[in-house]
Amino acid sequence: MKIIAVGKNYAAHAMEFDGTGEKPASPMIFMKPDSSILKNGKHFYLPDWLGRIDYECEIVVRINKLGRSIPARFAHRYYDAITVGIDFTARDLQRQLIAQGAPWELSKGFDCSAVLGEFRPVEGYDLSNLDFSLTINDETVQSGNSSQMLFSVDEIIEYVSRFCTLKTGDLIFTGTPAGVGPVKIGDHLRGYFGDEKVLDFRVR
Ligand code: ZN
């Protein structure tokens, strides 16, 4: 399986990242390897040799059908489950690689950098207007609504499936709202859809 992720898909986060909040012509896509998955509430062991590690709280969509060149209007037929995840990012390394004009894949693809909450059937939620949030040590650090995405889930699927065949089990990290920041050992992260907790793990 593969993990597809979208960068700068919320204007307010794009603004805090590099001062631009404009909608790009197409979604900014990158991938994380399957070895980056961390799930079932397992501890995240901070790879402190990588420098600053930032949390990015995101809605994650699970693909349930093989498809390529999927039009946006049919895209909803290709996923069945959603959760809240964390796209951990080695921020110092990412900025260093961007400055060099080098690929920054490794700053996003290290082990355990794709944390998954418990999946929920997508039918139970309105993905066009879904509140989600992240708390650290009981303080809300990020909150967003799916309606603020610059590219909707269906538009992301249309775009990326022109390049890559989507397969059952593939995951899409749909981008983070504003408020990203570093984690430290001892932090307790919880992710929510509205008031419903779907993600719960600790940094060790
Ligand atoms: Zn992200």
Side-chain angles (χ1 to χ4, degrees):
M1 56 84 64
K2 57 187 167 295
I3 304 169
I4 293 157
V6 187
K8 299 201 280 188
N9 201 29
Y10 289 78
H13 170 63
M15 187 64 80
E16 73 179 355
F17 183 73
D18 61 8
T20 63
E22 304 270 294
K23 181 172 177 172
S26 53
M28 203 183 88
I29 302 293
F30 59 94
M31 309 253 186
K32 291 160 87 86
D34 59 4
S35 48
S36 65
I37 289 176
L38 179 71
K39 56 186 180 181
N40 301 328
K42 288 190 178 141
H43 296 329
F44 174 72
Y45 290 94
L46 193 68
D48 45 8
W49 58 277
L50 271 173
R52 171 175 161 161
I53 306 292
D54 277 4
Y55 57 81
E56 294 188 359
C57 175
E58 313 198 359
I59 296 174
V60 182
V61 172
R62 189 174 67 196
I63 299 296
N64 69 337
K65 203 193 290 190
L66 186 88
R68 55 191 277 266
S69 296
I70 301 163
R73 68 184 184 281
F74 297 137
H76 65 275
R77 300 178 185 171
Y78 289 81
Y79 52 90
D80 65 346
I82 56 173
T83 191
V84 173
I86 303 293
D87 169 24
F88 274 127
T89 303
R91 195 68 74 194
D92 296 336
L93 177 61
Q94 184 192 34
R95 295 215 183 266
Q96 183 189 324
L97 292 168
I98 287 172
Q100 292 168 7
W104 39 268
E105 225 75 33
L106 289 179
S107 71
K108 291 278 197 177
F110 56 89
D111 283 354
C112 303
S113 62
V115 188
L116 299 173
E118 288 173 27
F119 279 94
R120 298 285 189 259
V122 71
E123 306 88 64
Y125 302 84
D126 177 4
L127 196 48
S128 67
N129 181 19
L130 178 58
D131 285 322
F132 66 106
S133 61
L134 173 70
T135 66
I136 300 185
N137 308 328
D138 291 322
E139 184 187 333
T140 301
V141 293
Q142 283 192 284
S143 60
N145 183 286
S146 58
S147 65
Q148 299 160 339
M149 289 183 190
L150 296 176
F151 294 96
S152 70
V153 171
D154 293 353
E155 289 170 329
I156 294 164
I157 288 174
E158 175 176 83
Y159 180 75
V160 80
S161 70
R162 280 189 228 152
F163 298 84
C164 304
T165 297
L166 297 182
K167 296 186 178 180
T168 300
D170 287 351
L171 301 173
I172 304 177
F173 278 68
T174 57
T176 195
V180 303
V183 287
K184 59 182 190 312
I185 290 171
D187 282 346
H188 187 183
L189 282 70
R190 297 183 180 101
Y192 297 84
F193 284 138
D195 297 332
E196 181 191 6
K197 188 178 73 175
V198 294
L199 172 74
D200 190 333
F201 71 103
R202 290 169 188 271
V203 179
R204 289 290 190 239

